[in-house]
Amino acid sequence: MPEAVPPIAELAAPAAWRTVDFVSDLHLEGSHPATVQAFARYLAATPADAVFLLGDLFEVWVGDDAIDERGSFESECCALLAQAARRRPLFFMHGNRDFLVGEGFTRRTGIPVLADPTALQFAGRRWLLSHGDALCLQDVEYQRFRALARDPQWQAQLLARPLAERRAQGRSARSESEARKQAGTAPYADVDAAAAVRWLRAARAGALIHGHTHLPADHALAPGLARHVLTDWDLEATPPRAGVLRLTDAGLQRIPLAPT
């Protein structure tokens, strides 16, 4: 039996918007300053009327209370985001690395958290936005973890632990992730095409925009239906990776931001 389609939130773009940017999978962390700096430059220079951050903005997020720790990476990032959000609207969507982002993040940055998925009405069309992890159905083990990690009671129990303990868990998760990268293991299963079509039809949208898989491409799913996959960011990779999917009245355009 097919997986049920989750509730789909709605967001109508103001009539004044002409350009919208989508980014995901920056995996920001203090040990990768080049990516953080590239993101800061992008936020200062983008011509977009709004920016959508579609998950895994952070390599790991151990709780909003980390923002209040003096000199913390989270505090510095939120100051950068708050400054950017004063110039134009920014929107955040949870990923599999930063699902603990909560109301404290929104208070400190002014950036609302969108439900996953959300249908965006813009430029006369409907665009379905998602991080993408919920559609990777072949990764059964991860889907079990995802269901657990999104449970409010489970999150409350985790956040009740001391910040230092949560930071240690985060370091362990980063080490495991790095080991998979060094082994050359594909990070995630790909999106299930049939499930993506069901989501699009339920949302009455013509295109799905998502990240998560680190496999940037444009896919035709069915007549009139497509999905567009965002790139991840890693300015220390060889070759470096960074980019934006930009939406205007004229259509979609991929904007590379990494040096060549």
Side-chain angles (χ1 to χ4, degrees), residues 176-188 215:
E176 292 175 8
S177 175
E178 190 60 33
R180 287 194 296 271
K181 289 180 186 178
Q182 295 298 326
T185 306
Y188 307 108
L215 299 170

Side-chain angles (χ1 to χ4, degrees), residues 82-126:
Q83 183 181 38
R86 287 193 288 270
R87 292 192 293 266
R88 63 181 55 82
L90 272 65
F91 300 87
F92 172 83
M93 183 175 285
H94 290 126
N96 52 293
R97 300 299 186 93
D98 44 24
F99 56 85
L100 289 175
V101 165
E103 294 178 357
F105 171 86
T106 296
R107 285 194 301 270
R108 292 290 292 268
T109 63
I111 301 174
V113 177
L114 294 178
D116 185 353
T118 289
L120 171 67
Q121 182 75 32
F122 175 74
R125 293 185 59 187
R126 288 171 65 83

Side-chain angles (χ1 to χ4, degrees), residues 163-214:
L163 178 59
E165 181 180 332
R166 283 178 273 134
R167 286 202 182 281
Q169 290 176 319
R171 288 191 293 271
S172 176
R174 285 197 297 273
S175 296
E176 292 175 8
S177 175
E178 190 60 33
R180 287 194 296 271
K181 289 180 186 178
Q182 295 298 326
T185 306
Y188 307 108
D190 206 355
V191 161
D192 184 275
V197 168
R198 288 195 298 273
W199 281 33
L200 284 166
R201 288 175 174 160
R204 307 185 314 282
L208 169 68
I209 298 174
H210 71 87
H212 181 65
T213 64
H214 301 187

Side-chain angles (χ1 to χ4, degrees), residues 11-253:
L11 178 64
W17 287 6
R18 293 292 179 267
T19 303
V20 174
D21 282 356
F22 303 96
V23 299
S24 73
D25 299 278
L26 284 85
H27 296 271
L28 299 178
E29 58 179 327
S31 60
H32 287 77
T35 302
V36 179
Q37 292 161 10
F39 183 50
R41 290 193 298 269
Y42 157 72
L43 289 174
T46 178
D49 297 300
V51 176
F52 288 81
L53 310 166
L54 298 185
D56 284 4
L57 176 61
F58 303 100
E59 174 67 7
V60 64
W61 188 264
V62 297
D64 292 350
D65 54 339
I67 306 171
D68 298 320
E69 190 173 60
R70 182 182 296 273
S72 69
F73 177 73
E74 294 85 353
S75 176
E76 294 174 359
C77 275
C78 285
L80 170 66
L81 290 165
Q83 183 181 38
R86 287 193 288 270
R87 292 192 293 266
R88 63 181 55 82
L90 272 65
F91 300 87
F92 172 83
M93 183 175 285
H94 290 126
N96 52 293
R97 300 299 186 93
D98 44 24
F99 56 85
L100 289 175
V101 165
E103 294 178 357
F105 171 86
T106 296
R107 285 194 301 270
R108 292 290 292 268
T109 63
I111 301 174
V113 177
L114 294 178
D116 185 353
T118 289
L120 171 67
Q121 182 75 32
F122 175 74
R125 293 185 59 187
R126 288 171 65 83
W127 308 83
L128 188 61
L129 312 181
S130 175
H131 179 57
D133 58 328
L135 286 162
C136 296
L137 302 180
Q138 292 184 357
D139 193 343
V140 176
E141 181 178 352
Y142 170 70
Q143 293 303 328
R144 291 197 189 101
F145 169 75
R146 187 182 190 280
L148 177 67
R150 297 308 192 276
D151 180 73
Q153 184 176 359
W154 183 90
Q155 291 188 4
Q157 291 173 347
L158 177 59
L159 291 171
R161 297 175 182 173
L163 178 59
E165 181 180 332
R166 283 178 273 134
R167 286 202 182 281
Q169 290 176 319
R171 288 191 293 271
S172 176
R174 285 197 297 273
S175 296
E176 292 175 8
S177 175
E178 190 60 33
R180 287 194 296 271
K181 289 180 186 178
Q182 295 298 326
T185 306
Y188 307 108
D190 206 355
V191 161
D192 184 275
V197 168
R198 288 195 298 273
W199 281 33
L200 284 166
R201 288 175 174 160
R204 307 185 314 282
L208 169 68
I209 298 174
H210 71 87
H212 181 65
T213 64
H214 301 187
L215 299 170
D218 304 292
H219 303 271
L221 295 173
L225 300 179
R227 70 180 177 99
H228 306 284
V229 190
L230 304 172
T231 185
D232 66 318
W233 289 40
D234 187 346
L235 275 295
E236 297 178 17
T238 305
R241 302 184 301 276
V244 171
L245 189 65
R246 180 161 293 160
L247 177 59
T248 67
D249 291 341
L252 285 168
Q253 181 183 9

